Amino acid sequence: MTAVPAPLVRESTEPPAPTPAPITCAGIAAHERGVRYIRLDPDTLRPYVGILGVLIGAILSFTGSRITTFGLADMRGGLHFGFDEGAWMTTSFGVGQMLVGVACPYLGAIFSVRRILLHGMALLFIAALLGPLSPNLTAFLTAQFLAGVGTGTFIPLTIGFIVRNLPQRLVVYGLAVYAMNSELSQNVSASLEGWYTENFSWRWIQWQFCLAVPVMFACIWYGAPREKINLGLLRDLDWPGLAYSGLGFSLLYAGLDQGNRLDWINNGLVNGLLLSGTLLTLAFVARELYIDKPFLNLRLLAKEGIVPILLILAGFRFIILSTAYIIPTYLQVVQDYRELQVGAVLLWIALPQFLIVLPLGWLLSRIEPRWILAIGAIFIGVACLMGTFLTQDWATDDFLPSQILQAIGQSFALTAVVVLAVKSMNPADVLTIGTLFQTVRLFGGEIGTAFMQTFVRVREQVHSNLIGLHVDSLGVQTADRLAAYRNAVSAHSSDIGVAAERATSLLGSAVAKQAAVLSYIDGFLAAAVGAFVCLMLTALLRRH
């Protein structure tokens, strides 16, 4: 594998200290009568502490939206909100992440990564602390939006921080750990939410950040380099382009997030969000292609082989979050699982990450990343095809083979995409690449979730109608099934009419459950097709 471009890696140029013992990150060795004494070297240790801080931030950013999604019902109940009101909880958080994520790479270059991260952490801490105490819907949604803005500063700055502060030989391992954090945090969220609500309170869905942020704050305060404000970049920044992109992308995100619930183009609000977001995005694209100093150098998309990488990133985010929707929904709808029980299944995607992160880094340092990406796509596709054998009897153990295979495939694919994206960066274009990477990551996941929600809902309606055509009220099989149901419920009711009504309800539930299972099978098949498309796109990538 070709090494990460040297301009992206900040190596120390200071001469080694004149000491007779070698200096390592653990300290220096002093030999006296065969005894070795260890002393920590703060200057060598400092970057690693900073990297630990940004990795904690990545976990918080990924966990924030997922744990809110799993805990939506508990949060709605605790705050006494209705279904439609509570649906905006995750939207407000995601809009905050999108709004600041577009501008964050430039803000980090202007004001320094350290300042942006510290301010983002302070904002997240305050929003997470006060959010559960909100007296009304407006106050809570505002807190969610501000928490999204706070966590939105973490992800765009993480990759650049790792690349610039790790020794060149360790960069690929740092990127592998970053990708592991992404998978780990998304799939432990159900277990965390279930544990909080079962043992403490729904408020800990938000208050968990108040425990983690101080640790991250200390790591960034100590480990992130102190840099001066670059007023030159501030003066040359394309403020209108920044405003167009931030507002346009945020409106599109909100429209996508609410589209399935409000029935897409049949709802005026969704139409307004998508139309206004599209117009602002078009204005942004036209401006960036016209002015001399664009906020985002969109001309960069025509070179460097960046478009296939961004498409693959969006594709894998589409697959991962769409399949992350199918399994929890199946377990909750068909098997009546609680979040803690759902988490037991999703943990089998999260736990293998610990075992493969270092071997994966070793592989990427010796094998062309395109091959790792292709292997990951194949594993994900096969895992999705295994999911098409789903029945209404599947429980935790039945998902384990496919989920372990998908866990390995997702780690391979996402880590390879991140490595390829970093190796495509030129120092002059690092801000543009960072912004595009964050935008595509968010949109890819949101489009995947929105598509799968709508696809599964429509397919469930189709299957329900098709199965219903075979339920003949005068048919022998229907009569036998209703008789079996009546016999089962008659022990709990002496009224023949009530027993018949309950038997009919049970038959309707059986039809609905089977239609749901068939729709989830179609969802797995759609995800497998997405994995195949990503595999084909891998052939378009340049050799690095």
Side-chain angles (χ1 to χ4, degrees):
M1 183 189 113
T2 307
V4 176
L8 294 180
V9 182
R10 182 179 297 173
E11 296 281 6
S12 175
T13 57
E14 297 180 3
T19 175
I23 298 178
T24 67
C25 62
I28 62 172
H31 299 276
E32 182 178 352
R33 295 185 179 181
V35 179
R36 173 173 292 190
Y37 300 94
I38 304 297
R39 186 177 77 233
L40 292 178
D41 183 353
D43 292 333
T44 307
L45 185 63
R46 195 181 300 272
Y48 296 94
V49 175
I51 288 171
L52 175 61
V54 296
L55 290 176
I56 294 174
I59 293 175
L60 296 181
S61 182
F62 286 121
T63 304
S65 57
R66 286 286 284 169
I67 198 170
T68 302
T69 300
F70 283 117
L72 200 56
D74 292 314
M75 294 173 69
R76 285 201 312 261
L79 292 164
H80 307 293
F81 296 159
F83 178 82
D84 291 328
E85 296 172 323
W88 289 94
M89 292 180 181
T90 54
T91 303
S92 58
F93 186 90
V95 167
Q97 284 194 323
M98 177 62 77
L99 185 65
V100 75
V102 175
C104 209
Y106 274 86
L107 295 177
I110 294 170
F111 299 103
S112 82
V113 171
R114 185 174 183 271
R115 289 186 181 90
I116 296 299
L117 289 176
L118 292 178
H119 284 82
M121 283 182 279
L123 186 60
L124 173 61
F125 184 90
I126 296 171
L129 180 65
L130 300 180
L133 307 177
S134 300
N136 52 54
L137 177 65
T138 302
F140 184 79
L141 293 183
T142 301
Q144 280 288 93
F145 172 78
L146 294 177
V149 172
T151 58
T153 62
F154 301 159
I155 292 295
L157 301 175
T158 299
I159 295 177
F161 192 93
I162 290 173
V163 170
R164 287 181 170 87
N165 290 277
L166 270 181
Q168 186 171 342
R169 68 184 184 280
L170 298 179
V171 167
V172 68
Y173 292 96
L175 296 177
V177 172
Y178 163 78
M180 179 202 74
N181 279 343
S182 169
E183 291 302 295
L184 182 68
S185 55
Q186 290 186 78
N187 291 290
V188 300
S189 299
S191 296
L192 287 174
E193 193 280 333
W195 190 75
Y196 292 146
T197 53
E198 292 286 340
N199 296 281
F200 295 102
S201 165
W202 64 268
R203 292 182 174 87
W204 282 98
I205 296 174
Q206 298 291 312
W207 286 347
Q208 63 168 339
F209 297 117
C210 298
L211 300 179
V213 164
V215 178
M216 179 184 175
F217 192 97
C219 292
I220 297 299
W221 181 272
Y222 176 79
R226 292 164 172 78
E227 299 172 340
K228 295 180 179 180
I229 297 177
N230 191 337
L231 295 178
L233 284 177
L234 187 62
R235 286 191 297 267
D236 295 335
L237 185 60
D238 175 24
W239 291 103
L242 176 60
Y244 290 157
S245 61
L247 292 175
F249 294 165
S250 298
L251 291 171
L252 287 174
Y253 185 95
L256 290 170
D257 203 53
Q258 293 294 320
N260 180 67
R261 181 179 70 90
L262 298 176
D263 200 18
W264 296 104
I265 60 174
N266 296 317
N267 181 268
L269 177 59
V270 174
N271 286 332
L273 290 170
L274 294 178
L275 181 60
S276 57
T278 301
L279 291 176
L280 284 170
T281 301
L282 291 175
F284 156 71
V285 172
R287 179 177 176 83
E288 300 311 287
L289 293 175
Y290 174 75
I291 64 173
D292 294 330
K293 295 182 178 180
F295 163 62
L296 285 182
N297 184 13
L298 297 182
R299 304 178 188 90
L300 186 66
L301 295 176
K303 60 179 182 179
E304 302 295 340
I306 292 174
V307 171
I309 294 175
L310 295 177
L311 289 176
I312 291 172
L313 172 63
F316 280 118
R317 290 287 294 173
F318 168 91
I319 298 165
I320 290 167
L321 287 185
S322 61
T323 53
Y325 163 80
I326 295 173
I327 295 176
T329 306
Y330 163 82
L331 292 173
Q332 291 172 329
V333 172
V334 177
Q335 302 295 351
D336 295 322
Y337 275 23
R338 291 279 297 167
E339 284 77 7
L340 200 58
Q341 296 170 302
V342 173
V345 179
L346 297 183
L347 281 177
W348 285 102
I349 300 180
L351 295 179
Q353 314 295 327
F354 290 106
L355 301 177
I356 63 177
V357 59
L358 293 180
L360 180 56
W362 182 86
L363 282 176
L364 283 167
S365 64
R366 289 161 174 80
I367 300 176
E368 173 67 27
R370 293 182 303 163
W371 290 106
I372 302 296
L373 179 59
I375 293 171
I378 293 171
F379 283 179
I380 293 173
V382 172
C384 292
L385 290 176
M386 292 170 66
T388 60
F389 293 95
L390 178 72
T391 70
Q392 64 180 10
D393 298 322
W394 274 34
T396 301
D397 294 342
D398 299 290
F399 284 103
L400 295 187
S402 63
Q403 292 313 291
I404 292 175
L405 182 62
Q406 183 161 338
I408 297 173
Q410 289 178 185
S411 295
F412 276 43
L414 285 181
T415 306
V417 168
V418 173
V419 171
L420 288 168
V422 168
K423 293 170 69 173
S424 298
M425 292 181 185
N426 291 321
D429 300 320
V430 66
L431 298 179
T432 294
I433 297 296
T435 304
L436 290 173
F437 198 80
Q438 168 70 350
T439 304
V440 169
R441 186 190 71 84
L442 288 173
F443 269 128
E446 187 56 38
I447 292 172
T449 303
F451 169 82
M452 194 56 69
Q453 287 176 340
T454 304
F455 180 76
V456 168
R457 173 173 59 83
V458 171
R459 294 302 299 170
E460 183 178 2
Q461 294 169 350
V462 171
H463 288 301
S464 180
N465 180 59
L466 293 175
I467 295 173
L469 294 176
H470 297 279
V471 181
D472 185 359
S473 60
L474 301 178
V476 176
Q477 290 182 336
T478 303
D480 292 342
R481 179 67 67 89
L482 287 173
Y485 285 145
R486 280 196 303 269
N487 293 333
V489 301
S490 60
H492 304 283
S493 175
S494 59
D495 191 325
I496 297 177
V498 172
E501 183 179 349
R502 290 182 178 176
T504 303
S505 177
L506 288 173
L507 180 60
S509 298
V511 170
K513 184 175 291 188
Q514 188 59 43
V517 171
L518 291 173
S519 69
Y520 300 139
I521 291 173
D522 291 342
F524 278 119
L525 185 59
V529 173
F532 177 76
V533 172
C534 290
L535 180 62
M536 295 298 99
L537 287 173
T538 304
L540 302 178
L541 297 177
R542 297 186 313 168
R543 179 181 176 85
H544 286 275

